[in-house]
Amino acid sequence: MPVRQSDGKVAVILELAGVLLASWWTVVAGACFGLAGGMVAVKYLPKTYRASTKILVTPPQIPQELVRSTVTDTMAARLATIQESILSRPYMVKLIEQTYGLPKSERELDTMIRRTKGAVTVTVTRYPVSQNVSASMFELSFNDSDPKRAAEVVNTLTALYIEENFRFRTTRAEDTTKMIGTLGEDTRNELIAKEKLIAAYKEQHLYETPEQLEANLALLESRNRDLESNRKAVEAASDRLQLLRSQAQASMTDSSITAVVPGADPTTQRLALLHREYDGLRSRYSDEHPEVRAKKRELDDLQASLGKTGATDQATSDSASTPPGPFDLPIRAQEKEIARLRDDQKRLRADAAVYTARVEATPRVQQHLAELTKGLDALTAQYNDYQRKVQSARGSQTVEEAEKGEQFNLIEKAVPPTIPASPIPLIVNGAGIAAGLVLFVLPVLAKAFLLPVVRSEEVIGSWADVPVLVSIPRIPTLATLSSERRARITNIVGAAVSCAVLAITMHFVH
């Protein structure tokens, strides 16, 4: 019956176990020598010490409902920004100079900066404070071969972190206040410019604005009433003047014959008569009346025919010396009244025209004002909003400058560590034991594979498909007994030597 493949594998494993059992000293020797080598390596390998400290991020001491903070960066983003700032070249050069001393070459300095940056580790942890509030804490670590120096570097970096966080928050709050103030100032300037433009246009059209419309309409109506009253007064005065002129004409007609001066020259008498007729017509009609103009031409022709200034002056003096009639003074007074009323009428019409133009211009002015004031309310609201935000930002800036905002608080200073962070004894010793086993056990297993010895039927069955018909047990001889005795002695001596080496190593190391 052929042996199954799985049974063959088990048989091979058992054969290898038997080989190791026959040379069990190699296992003991590998473990002891490997452990001894690991202990020596732990003692003489360069040691790295890790100093660390914890920094608590405390929430703001002023509630957000009273003063809202303008620094809204997340803790991760802020730590990344602060770390980039602290691990920048100026800070690193200062730290290296204080801790190690400045190297002689720029290349060595760059190497130390990279090594120092790589030795810094920041780990952030968040923990709940209440139902809706959580706080943060981060651990700052630094690795160095000198434990005291590692602690000093951690404490220096911690002070830098706290200082940089304060500077970062105050600067951010100040920048926010300045930015909002700048936006508010720009909005204020824009608002002032717009208000000046509106005020200038209103000043230019002071009496044509919608606010003056009712006053203009009232004044226009008043002037129209005054014009109507003036028109009636002019008509009444004209009627009185016409009546006075008619009465004066009738009086002059009745006395024209008796007005001739006895003994005077006929031409002079004719000239005086024409003067009286001309004055009578002027008292009744205007200067443009046909009868007045005809009488004027006749008087001018007669004066021209005289040919002498003396005759004309004589006629004029005779006319001037003629005593005024009883209607001359009332007529002249009425003419002056009519002239005054007509001057008032011109003034009233000019005023009415001005008020009419104002009323007609009001819709156009109102439309232009609407265009000018478009967006004024929005600008005013925006400016007021910026003012409120500036006040809030100033409050946040005051809180940050007073160190009442979110702060970094050192829980405890870093102390020089006593246990190195590397090499780790457990790992090194484990690696040493594994190396020792490989060094001592692997050759035995390799020999078993390269020079196989058949020790059971199962192994033959795993190698060939031919079934095993019969097996002959090993017959002990003097040679085999001596070989087994040497193997036992070798195992005991090898294990004892290995344990002795391990004991000496442990004593030497400790």
Side-chain angles (χ1 to χ4, degrees):
M1 180 178 179
V3 179
R4 292 179 300 177
Q5 187 176 3
S6 60
D7 295 339
K9 291 181 178 180
V10 173
V12 171
I13 294 173
L14 292 176
E15 286 289 336
L16 294 177
V19 172
L20 290 178
L21 184 62
S23 300
W24 58 269
W25 75 273
T26 57
V27 178
V28 176
C32 291
F33 278 95
L35 180 58
M39 295 174 68
V40 173
V42 169
K43 181 175 180 63
Y44 290 102
L45 280 176
K47 295 177 177 57
T48 301
Y49 294 88
R50 172 175 291 181
S52 62
T53 186
K54 293 182 179 180
I55 301 174
L56 179 64
V57 183
T58 58
Q61 301 181 21
I62 306 298
Q64 292 289 324
E65 292 77 9
L66 298 179
V67 179
R68 185 169 296 276
S69 176
T70 55
V71 184
T72 57
D73 304 76
T74 61
M75 175 57 60
R78 188 160 17 118
L79 279 178
T81 304
I82 294 174
Q83 186 168 356
E84 287 297 325
S85 176
I86 290 177
L87 298 183
S88 61
R89 186 179 180 85
Y91 277 109
M92 287 293 100
V93 171
K94 184 178 179 181
L95 180 63
I96 290 172
E97 183 180 5
Q98 292 178 353
T99 307
Y100 305 97
L102 284 178
K104 297 180 180 180
S105 65
E106 191 70 21
R107 185 175 180 180
E108 292 180 1
L109 178 61
D110 293 338
T111 302
M112 292 187 68
I113 289 175
R114 287 195 299 270
R115 187 170 65 245
T116 304
K117 286 184 179 180
V120 178
T121 305
V122 179
T123 305
V124 182
T125 305
R126 297 186 67 87
Y127 60 92
V129 176
S130 61
Q131 185 176 0
N132 299 322
V133 179
S134 61
S136 300
M137 179 177 64
F138 63 94
E139 183 178 2
L140 182 62
S141 305
F142 182 77
N143 297 330
D144 195 87
S145 59
D146 186 355
K148 184 178 180 180
R149 188 167 56 197
E152 291 178 356
V153 171
V154 167
N155 292 328
T156 302
L157 289 176
T158 301
L160 288 177
Y161 263 86
I162 295 175
E163 179 182 352
E164 189 66 19
N165 176 69
F166 173 72
R167 189 193 65 80
F168 175 84
R169 292 186 66 88
T170 53
T171 303
R172 181 63 61 86
E174 184 179 356
D175 291 343
T176 303
T177 304
K178 289 182 179 179
M179 178 57 65
I180 297 176
T182 302
L183 294 175
E185 189 65 22
D186 293 342
T187 305
R188 178 176 176 272
N189 293 334
E190 187 177 355
L191 183 61
I192 290 175
K194 201 171 189 64
E195 289 177 346
K196 286 183 178 179
L197 186 62
I198 295 172
Y201 186 78
K202 284 186 175 181
E203 185 178 358
Q204 185 180 359
H205 302 275
L206 184 61
Y207 300 103
E208 298 170 359
T209 58
E211 292 80 5
Q212 299 293 330
L213 179 60
E214 292 185 3
N216 289 330
L217 289 174
L219 290 172
L220 178 59
E221 184 179 359
S222 175
R223 292 302 180 270
N224 289 332
R225 288 196 302 267
D226 293 343
L227 279 171
E228 181 65 21
S229 299
N230 180 272
R231 184 186 62 81
K232 293 179 179 180
V234 169
E235 290 179 355
S238 298
D239 291 341
R240 288 194 298 271
L241 180 60
Q242 185 68 24
L243 179 61
L244 290 173
R245 284 177 175 176
S246 300
Q247 292 176 356
Q249 182 66 26
S251 175
M252 289 177 62
T253 302
D254 294 338
S255 60
S256 61
I257 300 176
T258 60
V260 179
V261 179
D265 184 74
T267 304
T268 304
Q269 292 183 1
R270 176 62 179 164
L271 183 60
L273 181 60
L274 288 176
H275 271 292
R276 288 190 181 91
E277 291 177 355
Y278 177 69
D279 291 339
L281 290 173
R282 286 187 62 193
S283 64
R284 296 176 59 191
Y285 307 109
S286 64
D287 293 340
E288 301 298 326
H289 195 273
E291 294 183 7
V292 177
R293 296 175 65 182
K295 187 61 69 176
K296 181 70 167 60
R297 284 194 300 270
E298 184 179 358
L299 180 61
D300 292 339
D301 292 341
L302 180 59
Q303 288 178 348
S305 64
L306 291 178
K308 292 181 180 181
T309 309
T312 304
D313 296 339
Q314 181 66 31
T316 304
S317 62
D318 292 341
S319 176
S321 62
T322 304
F327 295 98
D328 290 345
L329 291 178
I331 289 173
R332 291 175 183 174
Q334 199 64 33
E335 288 177 347
K336 291 182 179 179
E337 179 66 17
I338 292 174
R340 185 187 64 78
L341 290 174
R342 285 177 178 171
D343 290 340
D344 290 344
Q345 189 179 53
K346 291 179 181 179
R347 180 180 56 79
L348 291 173
R349 285 177 179 173
D351 291 346
V354 170
Y355 296 137
T356 302
R358 291 178 181 177
V359 172
E360 291 176 352
T362 298
R364 175 176 55 81
V365 173
Q366 183 177 9
Q367 182 179 2
H368 194 70
L369 280 175
E371 291 294 330
L372 291 178
T373 56
K374 186 179 295 183
L376 182 63
D377 294 339
L379 274 178
T380 304
Q382 186 177 10
Y383 174 69
N384 293 333
D385 183 56
Y386 278 136
Q387 288 297 103
R388 290 191 295 270
K389 288 181 179 178
V390 165
Q391 295 299 327
S392 177
R394 285 175 180 168
S396 175
Q397 181 180 347
T398 303
V399 169
E400 296 297 340
E401 291 174 350
E403 299 186 20
K404 299 298 181 180
E406 188 178 78
Q407 298 295 321
F408 289 173
N409 292 324
L410 179 64
I411 297 179
E412 58 182 0
K413 278 190 174 184
V415 295
T418 56
I419 300 176
S422 67
I424 300 175
L426 182 62
I427 296 177
V428 175
N429 292 335
I433 292 173
L437 291 175
V438 170
L439 182 65
F440 282 89
V441 176
L442 187 60
V444 177
L445 296 178
K447 182 180 178 182
F449 273 106
L450 296 176
L451 300 174
V453 176
V454 177
R455 293 182 175 86
S456 63
E457 298 178 6
E458 289 79 4
V459 174
I460 296 176
S462 65
W463 287 351
D465 295 333
V466 179
V468 178
L469 299 178
V470 65
S471 62
I472 301 174
R474 186 177 182 181
I475 300 173
T477 61
L478 292 176
T480 57
L481 293 174
S482 177
S483 176
E484 291 177 356
R485 187 168 49 253
R486 285 197 301 271
R488 286 195 296 272
I489 293 173
T490 301
N491 287 333
I492 293 172
V493 172
V497 171
S498 300
C499 291
V501 170
L502 178 61
I504 293 172
T505 304
M506 293 178 64
H507 177 75
F508 175 77
V509 169
H510 293 288

